[in-house]
Amino acid sequence: MSSGVKLDISDPKIRFREPQIEMAHGAGGKASRRLVEGLFAPLFFGASTDPLGDAAHLSINGAQMAVTTDSFVVKPLVFPGGSIGELAVNGTVNDLSVSGARPEAIVVGLILEAGLRTDVLQAEIQAIANAAQKAGVRIAGGDTKVVEHGKADGMYVSTTGLGTLLPGVEINPQSVRPGDKILLSGPIGDHGITILLARGELDMEGNLRSDTRSVFPLVDALVKAAGPCVRWMRDPTRGGAATSLNELARDCGLGIVLFEDKIPVHDAVRGACELLGLDALHIANEGQFLAVVSAEFADAALKALQATPGGEEARIVGEIREQPAGSVLVMTLYGGSRIVDMLVGDPLPRIC
Amino acid sequence: MSSGVKLDISDPKIRFREPQIEMAHGAGGKASRRLVEGLFAPLFFGASTDPLGDAAHLSINGAQMAVTTDSFVVKPLVFPGGSIGELAVNGTVNDLSVSGARPEAIVVGLILEAGLRTDVLQAEIQAIANAAQKAGVRIAGGDTKVVEHGKADGMYVSTTGLGTLLPGVEINPQSVRPGDKILLSGPIGDHGITILLARGELDMEGNLRSDTRSVFPLVDALVKAAGPCVRWMRDPTRGGAATSLNELARDCGLGIVLFEDKIPVHDAVRGACELLGLDALHIANEGQFLAVVSAEFADAALKALQATPGGEEARIVGEIREQPAGSVLVMTLYGGSRIVDMLVGDPLPRIC
């Protein structure tokens, strides 16, 4: 949030009218948006919805900094390529990164289920420590609560991250212009489909691994290459790339055009999506990000990403146009086109 | 934590050998200490246990600040005098306050149970907003997850707070000296016994209300009156005053002597404790704090507390002595004395 936002609880403008909370309200798509914008934002922030980005920027003691918080409830706790502890660190590191901040420190809150085996817990504590060390963030403190057996699915992890602002970059959907290019750091959908397979809900085998990782090295490379020409970044977790890009389209009032043949998708993800009737653009990622860069710097930005370890599969996947204003249009492989909305409902619960 | 602590995961010194997590590991007493010191601290902080205080002090972007995190899993969600949302804000505000910081901003993570009624949720969002406004902290962001029905007792709330350091005060158990006085801001045990009664587990009626509130105005008054002569502060939540003071005794290596007749305890709390064989010193508080102040400033500090609204019942309840080194001794009403240990086990689960 920009500093100086005051609570205004006298005129809450509460628009959330659904009688109870459903799984979809946590899935990151339209239902989440209705809950956050219709209930939380009016009471927490008054009329402003500024603070709804990945991380808030605020001033503490005269220093500008970024802060973000996330809770992790993924099931199963361990999956190919990662685990809840690793996800908690990387998710928070990534929210700071795409807000244009260097991750510096995290604090960790644990809600543990009575009966949780110590070896399972120890593995996650180790995963948190390792991921923090790898991402270069200090662990600055923590808290532990225990709830009765049968609650909390083993463990829930809440992480809050603090970061310092990267110089020369300001993320603002209002600065996006027609002609700007959309960059994607790598293949989409690996995390969501990995979790689905790990749950055994799908009779399918795959060599897929979650993409969980810190995107900060890639963000840093991008910002160094394109600096003030980076208009917007977002890590498309819950709700997938389609949801992040629909939010951008709505916030900037412009159209977003994606070229389907440019979007990297692993075969296993494509296969699972076809089987389930899902769109890979709706599947969660935990180690990718999207960026909008002005056209004249897009090639330099892409080269910088591709030259950074882990960014080899980065692509320019689309561009900003005047139309369709407020929407995301995908130009398909076969010369057609389709509008892709935000995630509706909850095809893949509990993926982070 | 002091800034500059590095992760040292090569020599973890893990001493936690219990096979699984039990409710007692979240109760704030000895079992919690074993878990945090034996498993979390070695992996998160290497040899250092500095970060185990109420809030970590660290430097971000050249500015000194305090950060603390807490998860709240209290059952029932609403109880006389407060609710989980209010508790989450005040608990975090109080951790910052007793670390010698002015609470400035919080972020809020919600884990909601599918099926939670919107009116119940809205009341807690409002409680969070109201408590934040009352405590003078901005809400800087949030996150929401939803888990299946049956998993999260309605809702769990994680709050992380940021604060700026109060000038002229440094909280450090090593600075505590024999002769220093122990101040208590008001009656103990109200919160824990209120929760017990609200659960209906005790066939007893009482007019008791949780003491949940921000202690910052009292801390601020104390620091203004006694500044550098305030050696240590702590809000005795889980584990109660006895646990906080045992931790202090251990950390400073001195003896803590309490005068039972000076410790304010409401009759309803005293009655419930007698009935249950509990010690009010082990019962959780959510709106009180303990302070150690050098003898020459103790009276001025007490007057400052008593002159601040909500501090009328503050008392000097004990003093620091050479002996019994590392322990807490209570001089009883009847001229005897007894050693009071940290909370052992889990007499009152889920009180915050």
Side-chain angles (χ1 to χ4, degrees), chain B residues 132-151:
Chain B
Q133 189 177 50
K134 200 166 171 185
V137 294
R138 270 185 290 153
I139 300 174
D143 178 62
T144 310
K145 294 292 190 300
V146 180
V147 295
E148 289 87 355
H149 187 61
K151 291 299 180 182

Side-chain angles (χ1 to χ4, degrees), chain B:
Chain B
M1 75 194 287
S2 49
S3 60
V5 174
K6 288 275 181 187
L7 292 176
D8 175 6
I9 58 174
S10 58
D11 179 17
K13 301 187 176 64
I14 294 167
R15 297 181 310 274
F16 185 77
R17 298 280 174 236
E18 296 158 60
Q20 67 176 32
I21 297 302
E22 310 289 355
M23 293 300 292
H25 292 117
K30 278 200 169 177
S32 297
R33 194 95 186 168
R34 286 198 305 276
L35 175 63
V36 171
E37 294 185 352
L39 183 60
F40 299 165
L43 288 169
F44 284 170
F45 312 117
S48 166
T49 54
D50 278 3
L52 301 179
D54 284 299
H57 289 187
L58 72 171
S59 174
I60 292 284
N61 210 8
Q64 288 292 313
M65 51 174 294
V67 60
T68 186
T69 196
D70 254 305
S71 295
F72 293 83
V73 299
V74 64
K75 201 165 64 171
L77 297 179
V78 180
F79 43 81
S83 68
I84 191 170
E86 187 177 9
L87 207 59
V89 174
N90 289 337
T92 295
V93 159
N94 292 347
D95 280 347
L96 291 170
S97 300
V98 297
S99 85
R102 175 185 300 277
E104 303 275 3
I106 60 168
V107 289
V108 181
L110 300 169
I111 297 174
L112 307 179
E113 179 179 344
L116 176 67
R117 275 172 32 212
T118 297
D119 60 334
V120 174
L121 174 60
Q122 182 171 335
E124 293 315 311
I125 300 299
Q126 186 73 64
I128 290 169
N130 290 351
Q133 189 177 50
K134 200 166 171 185
V137 294
R138 270 185 290 153
I139 300 174
D143 178 62
T144 310
K145 294 292 190 300
V146 180
V147 295
E148 289 87 355
H149 187 61
K151 291 299 180 182
D153 299 295
M155 63 193 297
Y156 300 148
V157 183
S158 294
T159 37
T160 299
L162 306 176
T164 48
L165 307 193
L166 292 171
V169 59
E170 191 171 345
I171 304 308
N172 180 3
Q174 305 294 329
S175 68
V176 169
R177 296 283 171 268
D180 289 351
K181 301 296 182 189
I182 299 162
L183 279 74
L184 172 62
S185 61
I188 58 171
D190 288 7
H191 178 74
I193 299 298
T194 297
I195 298 298
L196 194 73
L197 295 178
R199 271 202 213 123
E201 288 169 11
L202 197 57
D203 190 17
M204 223 181 108
E205 303 222 353
N207 248 340
L208 215 52
R209 295 164 63 84
S210 167
D211 59 357
T212 177
R213 61 171 174 173
S214 163
V215 299
F216 180 73
L218 294 171
V219 165
D220 195 37
L222 180 73
V223 166
K224 280 184 176 133
C229 297
V230 179
R231 321 269 206 199
W232 177 89
M233 292 188 282
R234 181 68 58 93
D235 61 326
T237 57
R238 287 179 291 172
T243 298
S244 296
L245 290 171
N246 268 282
E247 290 180 353
L248 170 62
R250 206 186 64 160
D251 291 347
C252 71
L254 295 168
I256 291 175
V257 177
L258 299 177
F259 307 110
E260 195 163 42
D261 61 333
K262 305 287 188 197
I263 299 171
V265 183
H266 285 138
D267 286 344
V269 171
R270 199 183 305 277
C273 285
E274 279 172 13
L275 199 67
L276 295 164
L278 297 174
D279 190 328
L281 287 164
H282 283 136
I283 308 297
N285 314 279
E286 290 289 345
Q288 306 300 342
F289 74 104
L290 290 153
V292 173
V293 178
S294 65
E296 67 272 30
F297 274 86
D299 286 333
L302 180 63
K303 277 188 189 135
L305 284 181
Q306 290 176 335
T308 304
E312 298 81 0
E313 295 182 81
R315 297 287 180 270
I316 294 173
V317 297
E319 62 192 31
I320 307 294
R321 295 186 185 166
E322 295 279 0
Q323 297 299 331
S327 294
V328 176
L329 184 75
V330 179
M331 311 300 287
T332 63
L333 296 168
Y334 312 106
S337 69
R338 59 190 163 96
I339 293 286
V340 177
D341 202 353
M342 281 188 189
L343 177 68
V344 176
D346 177 30
L348 296 172
R350 309 280 296 272
I351 44 73
C352 64

Side-chain angles (χ1 to χ4, degrees), chain A residues 140-292:
Chain A
D143 178 62
T144 310
K145 295 290 191 302
V146 180
V147 295
E148 289 88 353
H149 187 62
K151 308 285 183 184
D153 299 294
M155 63 192 299
Y156 299 149
V157 183
S158 294
T159 37
T160 300
L162 305 176
T164 49
L165 308 194
L166 292 172
V169 59
E170 189 171 346
I171 304 308
N172 180 2
Q174 304 294 328
S175 69
V176 170
R177 296 283 172 269
D180 288 353
K181 300 297 181 188
I182 300 163
L183 278 74
L184 172 63
S185 61
I188 58 170
D190 287 7
H191 178 74
I193 299 297
T194 298
I195 298 298
L196 194 73
L197 294 178
R199 273 203 210 122
E201 288 169 11
L202 196 57
D203 189 18
M204 221 180 110
E205 305 224 351
N207 249 339
L208 216 52
R209 296 165 63 83
S210 167
D211 59 357
T212 177
R213 61 171 174 173
S214 162
V215 299
F216 180 73
L218 294 171
V219 166
D220 195 36
L222 180 71
V223 166
K224 280 184 176 133
C229 297
V230 180
R231 321 269 205 198
W232 177 89
M233 291 188 282
R234 181 68 60 90
D235 61 325
T237 56
R238 288 180 291 173
T243 298
S244 296
L245 290 171
N246 268 281
E247 290 180 352
L248 171 61
R250 208 186 64 161
D251 291 348
C252 72
L254 295 169
I256 291 175
V257 176
L258 299 178
F259 306 110
E260 195 163 41
D261 62 332
K262 305 288 187 196
I263 301 172
V265 183
H266 285 138
D267 286 343
V269 171
R270 200 182 303 276
C273 284
E274 278 172 15
L275 199 67
L276 295 164
L278 297 174
D279 190 327
L281 288 165
H282 283 136
I283 308 298
N285 313 280
E286 291 289 344
Q288 305 301 341
F289 74 105
L290 290 154
V292 172

